[in-house]
Amino acid sequence: MTSVVSAIQAGMGVGIAVDALSDSFAGRVKLVRLTPGPKPVSFDILARKGRLSPAAEKFWQCAKEVAVKK
């Protein structure tokens, strides 16, 4: 993402970013919120079959909990 922001700063294009990244480069480029906002995007989480690392297992469990709340 930093190379995309650098290209934008150089005047060589535009980009689209999620809100979570906007704080990291808000002072470097002009941010324009899309209105009306785009529809939410759904996505899948994939993992290799078999045992997951403790960190991957925790992520997997958190993702499942959030998905159930929706």
Side-chain angles (χ1 to χ4, degrees):
M1 192 65 195
T2 55
S3 56
V4 172
V5 173
S6 295
I8 294 168
Q9 281 184 285
M12 300 179 69
V14 298
I16 298 174
V18 296
D19 286 337
L21 297 175
S22 63
D23 289 340
S24 61
F25 51 78
R28 298 171 55 192
V29 296
K30 180 179 180 179
L31 301 174
V32 179
R33 182 161 300 278
L34 297 175
T35 54
K39 294 179 182 178
V41 176
S42 54
F43 60 93
D44 297 317
I45 298 173
L46 307 170
R48 188 172 152 182
K49 283 187 175 182
R51 189 174 177 151
L52 299 174
S53 70
E57 182 63 38
K58 181 66 176 174
F59 178 81
W60 193 269
Q61 291 304 319
C62 291
K64 283 173 52 177
E65 288 175 20
V66 171
V68 170
K69 292 178 184 178
K70 299 270 175 176

